Amino acid sequence: GADYNGPRTEVDPFQPIQTAHDAVDAGTVAVILKTGSVLFSATGQATVLIYGPSLFTALDELRPQNEQTLATAAGFAVTVWNAATWSTKTSADFAKFSAIVLPDENCVYDTGHLLTANNTKPIWSPVVTGRIVVVGTDPIYHQFDQTQALTLMTNGIKFAASDPNATGLYIALGCTYALTTAETPVSVLSQIGAFSVIGQSGLGQTVTISNAAHPVMTSITAAGLSNWHITAHEAFPMLSSYPLGFAPLATIYKSSTETNVAYIIARDTPAP
């Protein structure tokens, strides 16, 4: 082939192998740079931020997965912030992530684990302009005998992180509001919109898929979500219980009204 190491009067920047200059070229020969163009593109790895105070970490043979392990397996770069670190961050810090995850703490019946997220909601909530999933059950607990619990978590995180131009949110309420008997505001979400839930009393065991084509429902069936002993721990009792722009993905029977109510909801794009 051509000798690219000898004296030359023309430099082709598109050759894969070529020294920058030969010593004999410098100051003695006019060098003409060939013209052309090369298009480069780069795709960064999507990033997920997990709220540490709710992350179930006592993994064992019955419950070997959590949102951190599932997001990592799905190809995300995962960061977990504990309460102290979370409290020091700015809106700009939160906005760097593809999705924020407020995980299921394995069926804890109080709101204490959400305290830091609730206290800092004026900082992180405004950056959540992307896709949102709210789950009114505890898939972490049920992974030991319900394989679709893991699918639900993985799908939810992937959906929340799927807008390349915005930060999304996945939250599993678990058993946080399970014992409430009256409609109760979900305080940690109050700066995103007005959400209110009822507890598990009077909710049935049979699930209906409202939107089987939705990405969160991929490979999920009504049978796979039904009969989890306590299938749903929270539900949104009416349409006004969650903001405009959200739609039910799965509903469950409510005996007191003899109707189905939403317990998994999602926002595909920001509300107008």
Side-chain angles (χ1 to χ4, degrees):
D3 180 7
Y4 293 114
N5 294 313
R8 58 195 184 277
T9 60
E10 189 176 75
V11 176
D12 184 352
F14 306 105
Q15 288 292 338
I17 302 172
Q18 183 170 297
T19 56
H21 265 296
D22 296 304
V24 295
D25 290 339
T28 62
V29 179
V31 176
I32 303 170
L33 182 66
K34 284 188 175 180
T35 60
S37 64
V38 177
L39 177 64
F40 294 96
S41 63
T43 302
Q45 186 178 19
T47 56
V48 168
L49 170 64
I50 296 180
Y51 173 70
S54 294
L55 182 64
F56 176 69
T57 57
L59 304 179
D60 57 25
E61 64 277 5
L62 289 179
R63 296 174 182 87
Q65 306 288 349
N66 62 16
E67 291 86 352
Q68 181 180 12
T69 64
L70 293 172
T72 300
F76 295 106
V78 179
T79 297
V80 179
W81 287 342
N82 61 20
T85 301
W86 186 282
S87 297
T88 66
K89 298 301 182 178
T90 66
S91 293
D93 294 323
F94 288 102
K96 294 175 183 177
F97 293 92
S98 306
I100 297 170
V101 173
L102 302 183
D104 161 28
E105 203 189 13
N106 193 32
C107 202
V108 174
Y109 286 82
D110 62 58
T111 60
H113 60 102
L114 293 173
L115 179 62
T116 299
N118 193 47
N119 288 344
T120 57
K121 62 190 176 186
I123 299 171
W124 63 264
S125 294
V127 312
V128 180
T129 59
R131 294 166 181 147
I132 300 177
V133 186
V134 184
V135 176
T137 191
D138 53 342
I140 285 291
Y141 176 85
H142 288 286
Q143 66 177 288
F144 77 97
D145 65 347
Q146 303 293 338
T147 58
Q148 291 193 10
L150 296 177
T151 305
L152 176 61
M153 287 188 284
T154 299
N155 288 357
I157 294 169
K158 289 169 70 174
F159 176 74
S162 62
D163 186 339
N165 300 310
T167 299
L169 174 68
Y170 168 86
I171 175 171
L173 295 174
C175 299
T176 303
Y177 296 95
L179 302 183
T180 59
T181 55
E183 192 169 355
T184 303
V186 181
S187 180
V188 73
L189 297 178
S190 65
Q191 296 214 345
I192 293 173
F195 298 82
S196 57
V197 294
I198 54 171
Q200 66 198 28
S201 178
L203 298 180
Q205 298 299 318
T206 302
V207 171
T208 298
I209 303 295
S210 305
N211 185 354
H214 196 277
V216 175
M217 294 291 107
T218 300
S219 300
I220 288 178
T221 63
L225 289 182
S226 298
N227 299 306
W228 286 15
H229 178 58
I230 299 176
T231 299
H233 291 282
E234 296 93 2
F236 301 91
M238 36 192 160
L239 290 174
S240 61
S241 301
Y242 49 85
L244 290 174
F246 284 80
L249 303 183
T251 64
I252 195 162
Y253 184 73
K254 183 173 182 284
S255 61
S256 61
T257 58
E258 297 186 351
T259 58
N260 273 30
V261 292
Y263 84 106
I264 301 174
I265 61 174
R267 182 183 79 182
D268 288 16
T269 55

